[in-house]
Amino acid sequence: MPLLDDFRKKEFLDQITVLNEIAGSKDPSALPGLIDLLKSPVGDTSIDYMVVNALNAVLSQDEDRTVEGLTDSHPGFRILCIRVAGEHRFTKAATVLTKLAETEDDPDRLMEILTSLSHISTPETLPVFRKFMQNDDPFIQSLCIEALGKLKDEESVPALKQVVNESEAPERYEVCEITTWKAVEALASIQTDETLAFLVEKLHHKNPTVRRIITDAMISIGNQVIPLLLAAFEKGDEDHKILSANVLGFIGDKACADGLVAAFDKGLATTANVRYALFEALGRVGTMKGIICLVDGLNETEELTLMAVVTGLERHVNPGMVSQLTKRISAADDQAERLAKAVINARAARLFDALYENAGAGDMLIDALSESRDPEIIEEFRSLLAEIGGSRADEDMARLPEIETGARKALAADDSKSMCAMHRAILTDLGFEPFIATNGQEAFEFIEQGEDFDIILTDMNMPVMDGMELVGKVRNTPGFEDTPIIMVTTESEGSQQNLAEKTGVTAFITKPFKPDELKAKINELL
């Protein structure tokens, strides 16, 4: 006896049992009865919903009947077949769906058809996606752009580039539109020399969120973009040098470090901002040439740049490097004081352990540690001294101050480890308890967890969530409408300050900066 005989007369629980059994078995004999129940529902929401589920399961095994249903007169069954065709990638449905898209006037139904076609994703669907990429609805445009990228359609490249170019127009660049986001991802998916060169050219897009999307795409692509990024570092302006170095550091290939060292040797890292970015990148990669270049960076006098050098060396400690650093710190001159302070503020425990063996270098490090106002750093190195042991270490531990956590709280967000260390040192010197995050999302999580802050520091360009987005979310959080926010930028990002001010930034400080400059800015605001 067929399961659906006298279905409408059955009790509720029996109806549920029958529909569950059909959904599990996907019995094709139940198809006519299910279609009848869809077109003439029993009137109970739960049962009608389960009819759709059972029908979906049965149709998933019947491509021909699904394709036939695409032109059924009943709108509900037609939409169901459209969805099933896409969900199960029924290629026979592509031709019919393409014809339906050409004649569909309703935006919602058109979206259903195009969504299904994007799942099926066959070359014959390209013309319809190219056509509707020009649709007025941004979500339909975005769906088509995404499909063109998935199909690696080189013919659509000029149109995709136009979307990105137009997004930098004065009246549009303040917002990252969904079409721009999808166009960047599509160009990255197509991965021709033309598309990758274009994306590298747009590394410093006017909108910081678009910059982040392009950066993420470059890192994901990896080796294929290394020559283009190195060329941008050599020939580009300061912004392109900085952003190219950042991406090369995150890609992390030996060719990235070798290329950056070659550029450094050619004298192409002339500004402190560029050298800072270059040393950060070399520290992430860690090749022999890169480490030698970092050792040369021990001559830097800018505290922030020196912090990037020490942070990079901490990742790749070796005897030759330790010997050089020991000699420099043992000199007990002004540069030795800067280096010792950088080792402490960077929490470079491996370097500290190796350098402490030399009494002269060890004394310089303890002097720098004694001046720290950061209780976490002092306790971290106190523990390290206890592990080292001996009378000298005991005497040095006795010299360390007892520091209480600051009464005021400050939040700092930056994807650079050295910059985070710099912020921490500055904030603890001012008596703040610092909360440090490596991106905007981590920073905002502190606020969501109920932390309150007297001041917030944020970088502009960060992965996951950039500084602009963080500021916008902070300003929309009750209680943070007037909290001072300082945004850290590079000198050449001045064109972005207007956008940042509109978002809610209180003040700016440009890299490279001296700690006293940021301290003065914080004191001014508070």
Side-chain angles (χ1 to χ4, degrees):
M1 180 180 177
L3 287 170
L4 291 175
D5 281 359
D6 297 322
F7 180 83
R8 296 175 190 276
K9 297 179 181 178
K10 294 181 186 292
E11 295 293 331
F12 177 78
L13 292 177
D14 291 334
Q15 291 177 330
I16 288 178
T17 301
V18 167
L19 293 171
N20 277 331
E21 185 176 338
I22 293 172
S25 66
K26 302 178 182 178
D27 183 359
S29 69
L31 189 56
L34 289 172
I35 293 173
D36 176 67
L37 288 170
L38 176 73
K39 294 181 176 181
S40 301
V42 299
D44 184 289
T45 304
S46 300
I47 298 299
D48 293 338
Y49 177 77
M50 292 184 70
V51 166
V52 172
N53 284 343
L55 187 51
N56 192 321
V58 175
L59 285 171
S60 71
Q61 305 298 304
D62 194 338
E63 182 170 1
D64 290 335
R65 186 65 184 90
T66 301
V67 173
E68 182 184 331
L70 295 174
T71 54
D72 194 274
S73 59
H74 188 272
F77 183 54
R78 190 165 63 247
I79 287 294
L80 178 61
C81 289
I82 290 171
R83 292 173 179 172
V84 171
E87 180 182 351
H88 299 283
R89 293 175 171 80
F90 288 160
T91 56
K92 292 180 182 178
T95 301
V96 179
L97 288 170
T98 299
K99 290 179 180 178
L100 289 175
E102 294 285 357
T103 58
E104 185 57 68
D105 297 325
D106 183 82
D108 293 333
R109 286 196 296 268
L110 178 60
M111 191 71 173
E112 292 277 6
I113 295 167
L114 293 173
T115 300
S116 183
L117 281 170
S118 71
H119 291 313
I120 296 171
S121 195
T122 61
E124 70 178 286
T125 62
L126 283 172
V128 75
F129 289 127
R130 291 173 189 150
K131 173 183 176 180
F132 287 104
M133 181 183 163
Q134 310 302 325
N135 192 274
D136 292 335
D137 187 316
F139 293 103
I140 290 177
Q141 288 181 43
S142 300
L143 175 64
C144 293
I145 289 170
E146 188 173 26
L148 291 167
K150 188 191 301 183
L151 288 163
K152 301 187 183 299
D153 179 39
E154 295 186 29
E155 189 175 319
S156 66
V157 167
L160 294 170
K161 289 167 66 175
Q162 183 179 352
V163 170
V164 179
N165 282 327
E166 290 177 350
S167 70
E168 291 194 283
E171 69 279 5
R172 292 180 59 184
Y173 81 92
E174 293 185 4
V175 177
C176 174
E177 299 169 351
I178 188 172
T179 49
T180 308
W181 167 25
K182 292 299 180 182
V184 168
E185 291 187 339
L187 289 165
S189 295
I190 294 169
Q191 283 189 28
T192 63
D193 290 343
E194 179 186 0
T195 64
L196 296 183
F198 176 78
L199 290 177
V200 171
E201 177 190 327
K202 292 295 179 182
L203 267 176
H204 197 253
H205 190 282
K206 287 184 179 180
N207 182 279
T209 303
V210 179
R211 289 204 294 270
R212 187 184 78 221
I213 296 166
I214 293 173
T215 296
D216 290 346
M218 296 289 97
I219 294 169
S220 178
I221 292 167
N223 291 355
Q224 193 176 344
V225 295
I226 293 174
L228 296 168
L229 290 166
L230 289 172
F233 186 91
E234 291 207 9
K235 300 174 183 177
D237 58 17
E238 182 170 320
D239 290 318
H240 266 78
K241 289 182 187 295
I242 292 169
L243 292 170
S244 297
N246 288 342
V247 178
L248 288 164
F250 281 113
I251 290 174
D253 190 90
K254 179 178 181 294
C256 300
D258 290 349
L260 287 173
V261 171
F264 185 81
D265 291 342
K266 292 177 184 177
L268 298 176
T270 54
T271 68
N273 274 335
V274 174
R275 290 198 302 279
Y276 171 78
L278 183 141
F279 290 133
E280 280 260 310
L282 292 178
R284 290 191 181 104
V285 183
T287 65
M288 185 57 67
K289 287 183 180 179
I291 293 171
I292 292 171
C293 190
L294 284 168
V295 170
D296 290 341
L298 294 172
N299 294 316
E300 294 284 338
T301 56
E302 287 284 354
E303 291 182 64
L304 183 56
T305 309
L306 198 57
M307 189 80 79
V309 171
V310 170
T311 301
L313 291 175
E314 166 70 1
R315 294 187 178 107
H316 313 287
V317 175
N318 66 53
M321 169 223 302
V322 170
S323 175
Q324 286 285 331
L325 195 48
T326 300
K327 186 185 300 183
R328 291 167 188 260
I329 294 181
S330 298
D333 53 16
D334 289 345
Q335 185 67 1
E337 289 183 9
R338 295 187 193 99
L339 288 168
K341 187 176 180 180
V343 170
I344 297 304
N345 288 337
R347 302 169 87 158
R350 295 176 66 205
L351 282 177
F352 182 99
D353 191 23
L355 294 166
Y356 188 75
E357 293 180 9
N358 179 279
D363 286 345
M364 292 294 293
L365 291 171
I366 296 301
D367 287 344
L369 181 57
S370 300
E371 294 175 3
S372 174
R373 309 306 298 167
D374 189 328
E376 281 191 25
I377 285 181
I378 289 175
E379 287 309 308
E380 184 175 326
F381 284 106
R382 192 193 302 275
S383 297
L384 181 56
L385 287 168
E387 289 179 16
I388 293 170
S391 59
R392 180 171 147 239
D394 290 340
E395 291 173 5
D396 286 338
M397 280 191 286
R399 291 176 55 193
L400 301 181
E402 298 290 339
I403 306 292
E404 295 184 2
T405 301
R408 299 183 297 176
K409 294 181 179 180
L411 174 62
D414 201 296
D415 61 324
S416 161
K417 186 177 180 181
S418 55
M419 183 63 78
C420 285
M422 178 69 82
H423 284 326
R424 185 177 188 91
I426 290 168
L427 292 170
T428 52
D429 278 354
L430 291 175
F432 287 95
E433 178 184 356
F435 288 72
I436 308 297
T438 59
N439 59 62
Q441 181 171 298
E442 284 184 13
F444 193 67
E445 284 173 1
F446 285 121
I447 292 173
E448 289 182 310
Q449 291 162 9
E451 294 290 351
D452 195 14
F453 298 105
D454 295 276
I455 196 162
I456 296 172
L457 315 177
T458 179
D459 189 20
M460 179 178 286
N461 299 308
M462 295 182 288
V464 187
M465 182 190 291
D466 57 67
M468 297 286 201
E469 189 176 351
L470 170 62
V471 173
K473 291 176 78 71
V474 169
R475 287 299 184 224
N476 286 317
T477 301
F480 286 86
E481 296 88 349
D482 300 316
T483 301
I485 300 176
I486 299 175
M487 179 164 278
V488 181
T489 70
T490 61
E491 186 69 40
S492 53
E493 279 179 338
S495 62
Q496 301 294 305
Q497 290 192 11
N498 183 48
L499 175 56
E501 286 172 348
K502 288 181 181 179
T503 308
V505 171
T506 313
F508 300 87
I509 191 160
T510 56
K511 300 176 188 175
F513 58 83
K514 296 184 184 301
D516 286 345
E517 294 171 353
L518 180 54
K519 288 178 182 178
K521 182 69 69 175
I522 292 171
N523 286 330
E524 174 190 331
L525 294 176
L526 294 178

